[in-house]
Amino acid sequence: MSIKSFFAIPFAKIATRKVYKWANKPHKTQEKVFKNLLSKGSKTAFGKDHNFEAISNYEEFKKQVKITDYEGLRPYVDRMVAGEEDVLWTGKPLYFAKTSGTTSGAKYIPITKDSMPTHIKAARNAMLFYIVEKNDASFVDGKMIFLQGSPVLEDKNGVKLGRLSGIAAHYVPNYLLKNRLPSWETNCIEDWDTKVNAIVEETIHEDMSVISGIPSWVQMYFEKLIEKTGKSVSELFPNFNFFIYGGVNFEPYKNKFESLIGKKIDYIELYPASEGFIAYQDSQTEKGMLLQLDAGIFYEFIPATEFFDEYPTRISLKDVKIGVNYVLILNTTAGLWGYNIGDTVEFTSTKPYRIKVTGRIKHFISAFGEHVIGKEVEKALNDAIKGTGINISEFTVAPQVNPTSGLPYHEWYIEFENEPENLEEFSKKVDTSMQEQNIYYFDLIEGKILRQLVIRKVKKGGFHEYMKSIGKFGGQNKIPQLSDNRKIASVLDNFLVATKHT
């Protein structure tokens, strides 16, 4: 045992005790965050526009600040991007985290000097909880790999711009730098296929103890290791015992992961977002992730069943109930106010408050971290149809995570009224539009995580037959245009035109 691992255990115990101090006083903690947000927010353009100085409690706040999303805050964000100070938060942001936009290109999510440290602290604490639970910090002596985007940042009117994972790469603690892989040079490689090959070369003979990243990207890394050596991951890295992930549902990957690794391991789930680090798994035995109540975020919740009502119920933490599906609303030290992040969550515990992510308030696909939404698939089809005689009766899209051969892909089930003469050419047009609209999807295609989408022709009347088969034919019943699982797709496979699958 090294000196570093020896002292890691008492350090972890002190840090986790501090966490439970605020976790055991949740409402007092959130009230403190709320008051701090109002105090600093009152000095901003948004705070002045919304009369923050006159707000003294949550009920008054709800009257002044309506629920919104990025497009709702966009006029303020555009002023920040142009270089203006004190718009949504005091001063200028430290960074803009670039993410995929919903309606008009990329989004620029502000990260401030007040919000950035909470991202780093939460990621650190997740590992410290694991150390305390296992009473073992030996992994800190091994090498650690964090598969992430390039840390090379652009400049946007004096503010650094990049992906959140690339920004976070600049904040690796000094005590981990010596053990951290890949090298800075390799991390800066933009082409994912080239980058993974370089990571394999750098790590193949190392004692890897911690591996972290989006599951689909890490799976590709594991497969290349095995292809090169003929050994399982656990044979190559016998001290690799836990995997850290976030951003996607891990369940579709779990069986594949354990077959590649060659043994069962522990998993630590994180809930990081550009808008804030929301939660992390603090226990291997308890369900859910610990909600970060002291991280500069004041949380609000709307029951998902009421979200599209004219006057939905809007509550703070003290009124939530276990087992209810809520739309998550954030107010943050990055200047996001009444912000609908788009996710739905469910509480698994209220002592302390733990959550699990249940999905998105709107249908979407993010099996690989691509965050594809309905508007994007609709536009992609319209782009491909424009100027042709092609007509579509109905469609839906699902991810194919485990194909019988080749790379995963998005599977489009389409019932054509008038079909294209060349289905492959039509597929390419749809795929090109998707890549142009969604930067994450583009990265996954370019990085050879996904291959071009595949279109399955549903026979005429097939969607009607499908709806009849599930007892939802007619009335107000509509088929979702996209979903993050294969529940619909698996049934639709019975209603396809008889052609050989790709």
Side-chain angles (χ1 to χ4, degrees):
M1 179 184 290
S2 70
I3 293 176
K4 184 163 62 174
S5 61
F6 177 80
F7 283 108
I9 294 176
F11 175 76
K13 288 180 178 179
I14 293 169
T16 53
R17 279 199 295 269
K18 287 181 180 178
V19 169
Y20 281 135
K21 278 186 178 180
W22 59 253
N24 291 328
K25 296 184 291 185
H27 308 311
K28 187 175 180 180
T29 301
Q30 277 285 275
E31 182 65 22
K32 184 178 178 181
V33 170
F34 178 70
K35 288 180 178 178
N36 179 60
L37 287 170
L38 285 179
S39 176
K40 285 203 171 183
S42 65
K43 301 177 180 69
T44 68
F46 185 93
K48 291 170 184 174
D49 290 346
H50 293 81
N51 204 23
F52 273 22
E53 286 192 346
I55 298 173
S56 61
N57 58 52
Y58 177 51
E59 291 304 315
E60 291 174 355
F61 177 80
K62 287 192 287 184
K63 292 176 184 177
Q64 296 293 335
V65 178
K66 305 303 181 186
I67 299 300
T68 188
D69 55 16
Y70 183 80
E71 294 305 318
L73 289 180
R74 191 181 185 98
Y76 291 98
V77 176
D78 286 347
R79 289 163 62 181
M80 298 167 75
V81 173
E84 188 176 338
E85 296 185 13
D86 302 327
V87 179
L88 286 170
W89 195 248
T90 53
K92 278 189 175 185
L94 285 179
Y95 304 97
F96 289 116
K98 189 176 182 180
T99 70
S100 180
T102 55
T103 60
S104 51
K107 295 193 296 185
Y108 298 96
I109 304 298
I111 298 176
T112 67
K113 64 180 181 181
D114 292 312
S115 68
M116 188 66 221
T118 64
H119 288 268
I120 308 308
K121 189 176 180 181
R124 181 205 70 176
N125 284 349
M127 288 198 288
L128 296 181
F129 270 101
Y130 184 80
I131 289 173
V132 171
E133 189 170 20
K134 296 293 182 178
N135 197 36
D136 181 4
S138 58
F139 70 83
V140 303
D141 295 326
K143 297 291 185 179
M144 305 179 189
I145 186 170
F146 300 91
L147 294 183
Q148 55 197 186
S150 170
V152 176
L153 305 177
E154 303 172 42
D155 186 273
K156 198 80 172 175
N157 292 322
V159 178
K160 296 296 183 183
L161 167 69
R163 302 291 177 80
L164 177 63
S165 62
I167 292 169
H170 292 262
Y171 287 85
V172 178
N174 288 332
Y175 60 85
L176 291 182
L177 282 176
K178 186 179 178 182
N179 297 60
R180 180 183 180 275
L181 289 169
S183 65
W184 184 266
E185 293 73 22
T186 295
N187 224 8
C188 291
I189 297 172
E190 292 289 348
D191 179 73
W192 180 248
D193 202 40
T194 304
K195 185 172 185 173
V196 173
N197 286 328
I199 292 172
V200 167
E201 292 300 324
E202 285 190 0
T203 59
I204 199 166
H205 299 299
E206 297 287 352
D207 177 21
M208 302 303 302
S209 60
V210 179
I211 298 174
S212 175
I214 293 175
S216 54
W217 299 64
V218 176
Q219 181 175 315
M220 183 179 179
Y221 164 63
F222 285 169
E223 288 170 343
K224 286 183 176 289
L225 280 170
I226 293 168
E227 181 184 343
K228 187 170 183 66
T229 65
K231 296 180 179 180
S232 69
V233 174
S234 62
E235 288 176 303
L236 289 169
F237 309 139
N239 292 314
F240 169 49
N241 290 311
F242 72 96
F243 171 59
I244 304 172
Y245 71 95
V248 297
N249 178 13
F250 184 60
E251 285 305 311
Y253 300 94
K254 193 169 183 179
N255 290 338
K256 178 68 173 178
F257 254 64
E258 292 188 346
S259 69
L260 293 172
I261 295 167
K263 68 177 181 181
K264 290 187 178 298
I265 62 169
D266 292 330
Y267 302 94
I268 298 178
E269 183 178 6
L270 309 178
Y271 185 6
S274 299
E275 295 84 353
F277 204 120
I278 295 162
Y280 57 76
Q281 186 176 341
D282 66 316
S283 170
Q284 291 292 309
T285 57
E286 298 291 337
K287 292 181 179 179
M289 295 174 285
L290 188 69
L291 188 63
Q292 296 302 283
L293 304 180
D294 76 331
I297 303 173
F298 179 75
Y299 300 95
E300 299 179 83
F301 306 89
I302 296 175
T305 53
E306 299 182 29
F307 186 74
F308 295 106
D309 294 351
E310 187 175 358
Y311 300 107
T313 303
R314 180 178 173 185
I315 59 176
S316 61
L317 189 72
K318 64 184 179 63
D319 292 319
V320 301
K321 296 178 181 178
I322 292 174
V324 177
N325 201 32
Y326 293 107
V327 178
L328 182 63
I329 307 298
L330 306 180
N331 302 277
T332 79
T333 50
L336 302 177
W337 303 100
Y339 191 89
N340 171 24
I341 195 174
D343 291 338
T344 55
V345 301
E346 183 180 305
F347 283 86
T348 59
S349 165
T350 55
K351 292 183 179 180
Y353 283 93
R354 293 193 182 96
I355 59 169
K356 65 178 181 180
V357 180
T358 53
R360 301 280 287 177
I361 189 56
K362 295 181 180 179
H363 297 296
F364 74 114
I365 296 178
S366 198
F368 308 90
E370 62 272 47
H371 308 298
V372 167
I373 62 171
K375 187 177 183 69
E376 292 167 349
V377 298
E378 290 172 358
K379 185 178 186 302
L381 278 181
N382 287 335
D383 287 347
I385 289 169
K386 196 179 297 180
T388 73
I390 300 167
N391 289 316
I392 289 171
S393 299
E394 185 62 275
F395 76 96
T396 191
V397 187
Q400 177 50 270
V401 177
N402 295 306
T404 52
S405 63
L407 293 172
Y409 53 89
H410 283 186
E411 197 162 21
W412 292 56
Y413 290 77
I414 302 178
E415 183 179 332
F416 291 98
E417 186 66 31
N418 298 315
E419 60 186 74
E421 291 182 6
N422 187 323
L423 190 62
E424 179 61 21
E425 184 179 321
F426 181 80
S427 299
K428 285 181 180 178
K429 286 183 180 178
V430 177
D431 200 78
T432 297
S433 178
M434 287 301 304
Q435 291 186 52
E436 288 172 351
Q437 294 182 75
N438 188 306
I439 195 168
Y440 293 117
Y441 184 77
F442 172 82
D443 286 348
L444 290 163
I445 295 289
E446 284 289 295
K448 297 182 174 59
I449 301 296
L450 293 179
R451 62 176 163 122
Q452 178 185 302
L453 63 85
V454 173
I455 292 177
R456 307 293 185 203
K457 290 196 293 183
V458 177
K459 65 183 182 180
K460 290 192 176 181
F463 275 95
H464 284 176
E465 290 183 41
Y466 162 77
M467 295 297 277
K468 284 180 181 177
S469 75
I470 62 171
K472 291 188 177 182
F473 184 69
Q476 297 299 307
N477 294 308
K478 296 179 181 178
I479 188 167
Q481 291 181 336
L482 67 171
S483 54
D484 208 31
N485 56 60
R486 295 193 59 78
K487 289 180 182 177
I488 296 172
S490 62
V491 182
L492 275 174
D493 280 336
N494 299 315
F495 304 102
L496 298 179
V497 175
T499 55
K500 186 177 179 181
H501 276 201
T502 304

